[in-house]
Amino acid sequence: MTLSCEAIEQAALGDREAQRLIFESLSDRVHRLVLRIVGSTDADDVTQDVFIHLFANLHQYRHDAQLSTWVYRLAVNEALQHLRRTRRRSVKSLDGVNVIARSQGNAAEMKELLETALGRIDAELRIVLELKEIEGMSYTQIAEIVGIPEGTVGSRLNRARRELRSQLEALGWEG
Amino acid sequence: MDCEIVRDNLSSFHDDELPAELASEVRQHLSCCSDCALELQNFDQLGDLVSKAYATDILAVNTTAARYDAEGLWRRIQSRLDSQPSNNSRLSKAITASASIPRGQFVLGAFVAMAASLLLVVGWWTRPAAHESNPLLATAVIDFAEVLKQFDGAPNRAIESFAARFPFTKVSNDLAEAALGFRPAVNGELPQGMRLASTAIAKMPSCNCAEGQCMCGPGGCNCAASVCQRKDGSMFLVFEHCKTQEISFGDLPSKFAVRDDHELQLIETSHQLAVSWIADNRRLTAVGLRGMNEAETLVAKISKPQSFN
């Protein structure tokens, strides 16, 4: 669904129908992004906060970038701030428990292993990795959303990938 | 092309984000370096692992059964929007609040020794850096561009520039440690030929650390601003504060490098190099360095973990 400038302006003025249009256009991806960062327990609340802040400040949007990029960046900031406030990891941590991937074919176990390993990586590294590998975004998009220079995206992904592998191996993954 | 350069560019190569010429050089290196080729294979393997594990999540978003309760979420958002004051009154309140924060005063050449309780002064903070054009998205971001630009003229002007925005007070090392809750990195061992000349405490606007993670308290972030001196009498500055207090360098171009697992942001002006990096849960920014060698030596020496008291 393409959002017209007029719809965005109407939403900025408080038009509920226009705001709903924006919500329906973006909420799925925002929720999924937030879910990846803060986990399922808090994803709904943080997603709510994202849209509340968006509509409260939409009048400041200057149409100099895609609205979706603007919103995803807001979502990343809100989610990271939530993590800092609550000091909770975004995924269940199995620290102290050996998790062994029994077989490549056991997809559920592999996913749990991956979730645990991802949960042990610094949130700022994890976000770029997930934006790249799960959301399939370009370096330009990732840089805009996370608020870092484009040149930094590659080096963060290097560190994220090496760290993920290291954590997977520490959890017994045999590659 | 050596392995270090290839490793630095490996993700970019893997993700097809390198310019063609550079990609070709990397490809050539990979064809005869088994170590780097293996690492690329590892990246491929991880990518497959992640995309297979989460492919169903992405597909599931499109099925009714798997969707989260979007309708319920919208109703809650609508309810909160209906219960809030209008945008205009909220905006004008925000503008009034920021305008009422007093600008700091700095008395040139006359730092006042602190009493036991530290003076906390609310600073005036800059607009976000140029590339962060949306005030909505930026918490108070401290712009160091002016400090760098002033340093080119004379180090004292850089200090004055910073102090004009965040009035700070020169303190003893012990008092700095007590006030900050950590020993400033430069209070420990400095590289040979360098010494700590003085330390001051400033209050930056926003600390987003989780409770118990630092001693900054609400509404501000404690910053140690240290003047260090070389044997020849020349100076450089080191700023240290919680990593959650964001900073920028305005429009000054910066490069990035990784050294010993630290991501260094490097800003070069006509007469000096500035470097900013995160060590443990703090951000350190050194201004007035002479080059990459000095920067690397300093980063390696003062990046050791510190604990809060």
Side-chain angles (χ1 to χ4, degrees):
Chain A
M1 186 191 300
T2 310
L3 292 164
S4 66
C5 286
E6 195 187 341
I8 295 169
E9 279 163 17
Q10 289 299 315
L13 291 170
D15 183 312
R16 287 287 182 265
E17 278 312 304
Q19 288 174 344
R20 184 172 184 139
L21 210 62
I22 290 175
F23 174 80
E24 286 180 352
S25 170
L26 297 170
S27 62
D28 282 354
R29 287 195 79 171
V30 167
H31 189 268
R32 191 169 71 231
L33 186 59
V34 166
L35 180 71
R36 294 299 319 142
I37 300 170
V38 306
S40 55
T41 308
D42 298 326
D44 280 10
D45 286 344
V46 176
T47 303
Q48 257 190 72
D49 289 342
V50 170
F51 281 98
I52 293 295
H53 289 158
L54 167 66
F55 295 137
N57 295 281
L58 194 52
H59 57 279
Q60 296 176 27
Y61 173 61
R62 289 193 275 278
H63 301 266
D64 50 355
Q66 278 208 348
L67 182 66
S68 57
T69 305
W70 210 71
V71 177
Y72 297 150
R73 190 158 163 214
L74 175 59
V76 166
N77 281 346
E78 283 288 336
L80 283 178
Q81 294 227 14
H82 178 83
L83 278 185
R84 288 175 192 135
R85 280 194 300 270
T86 59
R87 295 184 71 188
R88 265 181 275 162
R89 291 189 175 279
S90 66
V91 293
K92 187 175 74 169
S93 169
L94 297 176
D95 285 328
V97 176
N98 282 326
V99 179
I100 308 289
R102 279 193 272 278
S103 76
Q104 294 286 340
N106 191 332
E109 282 186 359
M110 197 58 235
K111 188 173 174 187
E112 189 174 356
L113 187 76
L114 200 47
E115 293 269 321
T116 303
L118 282 168
R120 293 179 175 187
I121 294 174
D122 187 276
E124 286 170 356
L125 292 184
R126 191 172 74 243
I127 284 165
V128 289
L129 185 64
E130 291 176 352
L131 288 174
K132 182 66 213 159
E133 298 287 12
I134 301 175
E135 301 293 331
M137 292 188 179
S138 69
Y139 280 26
T140 305
Q141 288 174 308
I142 293 171
E144 277 186 56
I145 288 169
V146 178
I148 57 176
E150 201 170 320
T152 309
V153 176
S155 64
R156 284 208 188 171
L157 279 168
N158 282 340
R159 289 160 62 209
R161 283 165 168 150
R162 286 165 189 149
E163 185 60 25
L164 176 62
R165 188 174 186 92
S166 170
Q167 292 298 338
L168 283 169
E169 287 172 353
L171 290 165
W173 183 64
E174 289 165 0
Chain B
M1 182 174 273
D2 67 28
C3 289
E4 190 179 340
I5 298 176
V6 169
R7 281 175 54 88
D8 285 347
N9 287 287
L10 203 58
S11 277
S12 303
F13 176 80
H14 173 269
D15 299 326
D16 224 5
E17 294 269 359
L18 280 186
E21 201 176 310
L22 189 52
S24 171
E25 288 182 52
V26 170
R27 198 173 291 115
Q28 203 170 3
H29 177 93
L30 290 169
S31 68
C32 47
C33 176
S34 54
D35 287 343
C36 291
L38 179 62
E39 179 143 50
L40 182 67
Q41 238 180 353
N42 290 342
F43 283 9
D44 283 335
Q45 192 179 27
L46 283 177
D48 281 344
L49 201 66
V50 174
S51 53
K52 276 177 192 157
Y54 294 102
T56 48
D57 286 13
I58 294 165
L59 291 172
V61 168
N62 297 322
T63 68
T64 309
R67 270 183 75 136
Y68 64 100
D69 181 15
E71 194 56 43
L73 192 55
W74 171 247
R75 279 198 300 273
R76 290 196 293 279
I77 289 169
Q78 202 168 18
S79 173
R80 279 175 67 178
L81 288 170
D82 288 341
S83 66
Q84 282 178 352
S86 70
N87 277 354
N88 284 342
S89 65
R90 212 170 26 251
L91 181 60
S92 62
K93 276 180 192 168
I95 290 169
T96 304
S98 69
S100 70
I101 292 168
R103 253 189 120 115
Q105 299 293 318
F106 174 65
V107 179
L108 175 62
F111 294 99
V112 179
M114 285 294 292
S117 58
L118 185 65
L119 173 68
L120 299 180
V121 180
V122 178
W124 162 80
W125 59 84
T126 64
R127 307 281 284 167
H131 69 272
E132 292 181 26
S133 57
N134 178 14
L136 164 66
L137 300 177
T139 53
V141 178
I142 308 303
D143 191 347
F144 272 82
E146 197 54 34
V147 176
L148 268 67
K149 287 173 189 168
Q150 293 290 347
F151 197 96
D152 275 351
N156 277 339
R157 280 201 221 132
I159 301 164
E160 288 163 32
S161 161
F162 186 77
R165 290 154 58 193
F166 309 106
F168 61 88
T169 306
K170 190 177 173 185
V171 296
S172 67
N173 290 346
D174 290 339
L175 195 54
E177 195 169 335
L180 294 166
F182 60 85
R183 189 169 69 150
V186 294
N187 280 19
E189 221 174 293
L190 279 170
Q192 201 176 15
M194 296 176 181
R195 69 172 194 92
L196 175 64
S198 66
T199 296
I201 303 284
K203 196 72 171 180
M204 290 189 168
S206 65
C207 178
N208 293 308
C209 290
E211 193 180 328
Q213 201 174 4
C214 71
M215 282 185 56
C216 292
C221 182
N222 296 328
C223 171
S226 302
V227 178
C228 300
Q229 202 167 32
R230 301 180 185 90
K231 271 186 185 163
D232 64 4
S234 60
M235 294 191 290
F236 61 92
L237 311 175
V238 178
F239 300 89
E240 184 176 357
H241 51 83
C242 296
K243 72 174 183 181
T244 56
Q245 168 59 71
E246 293 186 36
I247 68 168
S248 81
F249 298 94
D251 292 327
L252 294 174
S254 56
K255 300 184 293 189
F256 290 80
V258 177
R259 294 289 184 272
D260 297 327
D261 246 8
H262 296 296
E263 184 181 279
L264 310 183
Q265 186 175 5
L266 303 156
I267 307 95
E268 207 158 1
T269 63
S270 49
H271 296 103
Q272 46 111 8
L273 177 71
V275 59
S276 187
W277 72 103
I278 288 173
D280 205 13
N281 64 337
R282 293 159 303 130
R283 174 168 285 283
L284 292 119
T285 303
V287 175
L289 300 180
R290 284 185 171 155
M292 200 58 203
N293 282 345
E294 191 173 65
E296 286 176 345
T297 306
L298 186 69
V299 169
K301 202 73 173 177
I302 70 173
S303 297
K304 297 188 184 108
Q306 297 278 353
S307 56
F308 288 110
N309 300 332

